[in-house]
Amino acid sequence: MCGIFGCVLKEGNAAPLIHASLKRLEYRGYDSVGIATISEGKIYIKKDQGKIDDVHKILNLDDLPGNIGIGHTRWATHGAPLKVNAHPHTDCTGEIVVVHNGIIENFIELKNELQNLGHNFVSKTDTEVMAHLIEETLKQNPKLTFTQAVLDSLKRVEGSYAFAIISTREPDKIVCARNESPLVLGINHQGVFCASDIPAFLAITNKAVMVNNGELAILTAQGYEIRKISDNTPITREPITIEWTPEMAVKQGYPHFMIKEIHEQPETLRNTLRMQEHYLDLLTTFLDRANEVFLVACGTSYHACLAASYMFSKLAFLPTFPVYASEFVEQCGKSVSIDSTILAVSQSGETADTIAAVTCAQQRAATILSLTNVIGSTLTRISRVYIGTQAGPEIGVAATKTFTSQLSVLAQLALKLAKKRGKVSQDEIDSLEENLQKLPDLAETIVNTQEEKIKQIAKKYADSKVFFFLGRGISTATAFEGRLKLMEIAYIPSIAFPAGESKHGPISLVENGFPVVFVCPKDECHKTLIGNIMEMKARGAHIIAVIEEGDQEIKGLADDYIEVPKGIPSVLSPIPFAVPLQLLAYYTALEKGFNPDMPRNLAKSVTVK
Ligand code: F6R
């Protein structure tokens, strides 16, 4: 997730306005920033790594000439957060300048092709291919207009994008285009704007024009034109009036970041499925060679590791040891050696306990691999290989979209390893790959169909004094995560354990009306889980079951149920099953009058041990 902004003004300098708008988009990414303008047929660019204010102090981002320009605030996906990878990016001639939010899936093929044609790439980004592709399109067809060259180039690009592109060839316009990444236009008496999100320009106009997938827009000081990318047909669309306050706009109309981020999961999961094969392959090679693998993390990230231990075992026959990072040094420190592999998982990449565990393992010459949402974080700097989880900045303190992104990447790794080791039949691999691709839609269906029902369930149980969260097999990890969410934002003491453990102690707590949340995918544990539901029911517990659609057996036993679409393979089930539990925690917190974005005593990034 990055933020893009562009403006064509009737008069005055564009750079200060671009700078101010990028500041309002900083919640979309903040590891590098850059602005490009055109003045008297010349391109001017300033960019660097770092937060906008820090870069501005050194470069003065307001000081670029020209009434037209584009800008970008970055959340690194391809290439570390370095100046060379900061947007805008240019072609070989420096005449075509591009900013981009999204992921170009086929950028390696395009880059190879363009390099073979003599194009000189300077960054590691996927974005740079677009500048060279337009340059090449114009070289091949010198009669094309700049806009037509952008249109033709877009037809070769696969993946998600919101582009804003300027060129000295037609210095009076910005061409922008959208596929899956957000893009919106703003308009007022000063000129026309394009941006990733409405908050970028809400301080100067509330007149907005939405750009849809597969559309391109041409901005000039006189106005805007929208066309279909596929056939260049014009589209008429009038501006609408946005009634949001600036604060609402940052949350895109949602009351809290947490619910916005829960709703973003279809998009973030789609992004994780665009993961570059190359990095997955590299990590898989290290895992394949490993003698012993420790999965190290804290909190929600630890729950992703716990789920991953089932995935690696079931699919790749690789035993792994999930360990709480805060316990790692004491529990495993001495036994770690050059033969050990650590796969550390951390949203922030800065959690002190995780960094301490990894540092200990590094000192003992172990191989350090990691998964993090923040490229450039401490964890990426001390890892041999890392993968970015592509979820974009997460602002709500409770992790939601980053959890499902971590799970999706871990599932892809387990699947790759299974393939490499030949442990699972090709049919099963094909079916799992197909099901992985369905996860974004499943998350969307769950949010669309279950949210209202979950609100009612939250209302019904909000005054409960304690909750159980139970599952079997991989759903134990889902249950742990559901418990953590409810506990941390709704402040209801909650207990989670594998359902089979009930009879070894915890069931003594159960009395009439005691709420027990069961995570019930229709997998190999289903039958035994029904036994566990029965034993809770027999003691008067109220059963809240998260089930697969049409699971009549458990429906008949549950007091309340939440349905997720059916047919999800067990190893992937924590991804869709986590979504209703996030919603349950969110709406319970609201029922109790708490702000779910800022749970007491907690911080987004825990940098103390
Ligand atoms: C819970 C939550 C925390 C974090 C934990 C680790 O919702 O967000 O439990 O998961 O503090 O943080 P990262 O993943 O940044 O290492």
Side-chain angles (χ1 to χ4, degrees):
M1 200 153 103
C2 302
I4 70 166
F5 183 81
C7 69
V8 193
L9 300 180
K10 290 182 181 145
E11 53 188 37
N13 273 4
L17 201 149
I18 300 172
H19 171 200
S21 304
L22 290 179
K23 266 304 286 174
R24 291 190 286 264
L25 286 177
E26 210 170 11
Y27 65 91
R28 297 184 59 87
Y30 40 74
D31 63 44
S32 331
V33 58
I35 296 180
T37 58
I38 305 183
S39 174
E40 298 182 356
K42 247 187 99 188
I43 299 277
Y44 294 82
I45 297 182
K46 286 189 179 181
K47 65 177 186 177
D48 208 345
Q49 71 186 90
K51 294 218 164 88
I52 297 176
D53 286 349
D54 297 339
V55 174
H56 177 56
K57 263 188 216 141
I58 297 164
L59 296 182
N60 188 0
L61 293 170
D62 295 338
D63 183 26
L64 292 101
N67 66 329
I68 175 165
I70 54 179
H72 188 268
T73 178
R74 181 166 188 246
W75 184 258
T77 57
H78 296 58
L82 301 172
K83 178 175 180 180
V84 71
N85 294 325
H87 298 216
H89 292 285
T90 59
D91 68 326
C92 299
T93 65
E95 287 177 6
I96 298 166
V97 190
V98 178
V99 293
H100 166 224
N101 167 37
I103 298 171
I104 302 179
E105 279 168 32
N106 59 338
F107 94 96
I108 294 181
E109 294 99 283
L110 291 172
K111 188 170 177 174
N112 287 340
E113 180 186 319
L114 290 159
Q115 277 174 327
N116 288 337
L117 290 166
H119 288 262
N120 182 27
F121 281 75
V122 294
S123 78
K124 292 256 186 297
T125 64
D126 50 342
T127 304
E128 195 185 344
V129 292
M130 187 58 182
H132 294 278
L133 193 58
I134 302 167
E135 179 191 8
E136 186 58 34
T137 308
L138 283 163
K139 211 187 272 172
Q140 307 277 339
N141 309 285
K143 291 206 181 111
L144 287 182
T145 63
F146 171 58
T147 309
Q148 189 60 50
V150 174
L151 263 174
D152 287 2
S153 303
L154 285 170
K155 289 184 187 143
R156 301 219 40 218
V157 172
E158 289 164 20
S160 60
Y161 54 75
F163 284 116
I165 307 167
I166 52 174
S167 171
T168 50
R169 288 170 176 258
E170 294 178 25
D172 60 335
K173 62 181 60 133
I174 298 175
V175 180
C176 45
R178 170 180 183 179
N179 187 46
E180 291 186 28
S181 304
L183 183 67
V184 56
L185 310 184
I187 185 156
N188 73 3
H189 62 283
Q190 284 176 286
V192 186
F193 322 99
C194 61
S196 294
D197 271 343
I198 289 165
F201 53 67
L202 197 59
I204 46 176
T205 182
N206 64 352
K207 297 274 175 271
V209 182
M210 303 301 159
V211 180
N212 295 333
N213 285 335
E215 293 177 353
L216 168 141
I218 304 151
L219 278 52
T220 62
Q222 284 66 50
Y224 62 90
E225 257 177 67
I226 301 179
R227 297 188 194 162
K228 260 197 191 154
I229 294 172
S230 56
D231 57 10
N232 202 10
T233 48
I235 293 164
T236 310
R237 192 168 302 137
E238 294 301 321
I240 52 168
T241 304
I242 303 295
E243 309 287 358
W244 294 345
T245 62
E247 207 227 336
M248 278 164 79
V250 173
K251 296 178 193 150
Q252 284 168 5
Y254 290 105
H256 299 100
F257 283 109
M258 184 177 173
I259 191 69
K260 169 177 173 279
E261 286 157 2
I262 291 173
H263 276 249
E264 271 169 12
Q265 289 176 111
E267 182 194 330
T268 49
L269 284 168
R270 260 174 219 123
N271 285 340
T272 60
L273 294 170
R274 297 199 172 97
M275 194 72 47
Q276 275 169 55
E277 294 286 308
H278 164 71
Y279 291 112
L280 290 171
D281 285 340
L282 201 58
L283 225 87
T284 307
T285 306
F286 278 106
L287 290 172
D288 190 33
R289 277 193 219 142
N291 283 341
E292 56 180 9
V293 179
F294 296 100
L295 306 172
V296 179
C298 300
T300 290
S301 298
Y302 170 79
H303 299 148
C305 289
L306 188 59
S309 67
Y310 289 82
M311 295 173 184
F312 284 124
S313 169
K314 285 180 168 241
L315 296 177
F317 294 19
L318 173 74
T320 55
F321 307 100
V323 188
Y324 286 110
S326 55
E327 286 299 308
F328 181 80
V329 176
E330 283 301 311
Q331 196 180 348
C332 315
K334 285 256 159 42
S335 61
V336 168
S337 71
I338 193 162
D339 294 324
S340 312
T341 298
I342 311 297
L343 175 55
V345 178
S346 170
Q347 183 284 126
S348 60
E350 300 294 350
T351 300
D353 286 320
T354 309
I355 301 300
V358 168
T359 308
C360 157
Q362 198 182 34
Q363 282 159 358
R364 301 182 69 85
T367 302
I368 311 297
L369 313 173
S370 66
L371 238 68
T372 178
N373 197 37
V374 185
I375 309 291
S377 58
T378 306
L379 188 57
T380 61
R381 293 199 294 274
I382 54 180
S383 301
R384 179 102 181 251
V385 185
Y386 62 83
I387 292 191
T389 42
Q390 318 273 24
E394 188 174 64
I395 296 169
V397 165
T400 51
K401 62 175 180 170
T402 54
F403 177 62
T404 47
S405 287
Q406 288 169 347
L407 288 170
S408 166
V409 178
L410 289 162
Q412 289 174 69
L413 280 173
L415 207 52
K416 278 225 171 265
L417 194 56
K419 236 188 213 176
K420 197 175 177 82
R421 296 184 154 200
K423 297 289 188 192
V424 175
S425 74
Q426 191 56 46
D427 280 356
E428 194 177 340
I429 290 194
D430 292 346
S431 148
L432 283 164
E433 277 173 348
E434 217 173 280
N435 277 291
L436 253 176
Q437 298 299 328
K438 289 184 192 157
L439 288 172
D441 289 346
L442 291 191
E444 199 157 354
T445 307
I446 294 165
V447 173
N448 288 344
T449 62
Q450 303 299 302
E451 192 165 9
E452 276 311 310
K453 186 167 192 190
I454 294 170
K455 265 187 212 170
Q456 299 313 316
I457 296 176
K459 202 183 256 225
K460 180 167 165 190
Y461 293 98
D463 290 331
S464 303
K465 297 280 168 281
V466 60
F467 268 81
F468 273 175
F469 283 80
L470 305 184
R472 290 189 85 101
I474 196 167
S475 299
T476 304
T478 319
F480 272 115
E481 178 56 10
R483 181 230 19 191
L484 178 59
K485 289 288 90 90
L486 185 75
M487 208 163 60
E488 68 180 332
I489 62 168
Y491 313 144
I492 301 182
S494 304
I495 306 168
F497 46 90
E501 280 293 297
S502 307
K503 54 192 171 296
H504 300 292
I507 202 163
S508 67
L509 282 176
V510 175
E511 52 190 9
N512 241 357
F514 190 108
V516 184
V517 178
F518 275 95
V519 182
C520 318
K522 260 203 142 172
D523 59 12
E524 52 281 14
C525 300
H526 189 255
K527 277 233 142 20
T528 339
L529 192 71
I530 289 179
N532 299 127
I533 294 176
M534 301 295 283
E535 72 202 15
M536 286 292 164
K537 260 188 95 68
R539 282 148 185 96
H542 275 186
I543 310 297
I544 305 154
V546 188
I547 58 170
E548 287 191 23
E549 228 167 29
D551 182 347
Q552 298 304 342
E553 256 176 302
I554 297 190
K555 239 188 216 180
L557 297 173
D559 294 273
D560 293 281
Y561 61 87
I562 302 162
E563 286 178 294
V564 307
K566 64 177 168 197
I568 302 153
S570 175
V571 285
L572 302 181
S573 65
I575 300 172
F577 278 79
V579 178
L581 299 182
Q582 296 166 347
L583 288 167
L584 182 65
Y586 174 77
Y587 284 109
T588 309
L590 292 198
E591 276 300 319
K592 296 178 73 77
F594 301 128
N595 177 354
D597 279 347
M598 289 180 193
R600 66 188 178 212
N601 309 331
L602 294 176
K604 186 66 187 159
S605 181
V606 186
T607 51
V608 288
K609 283 206 275 172

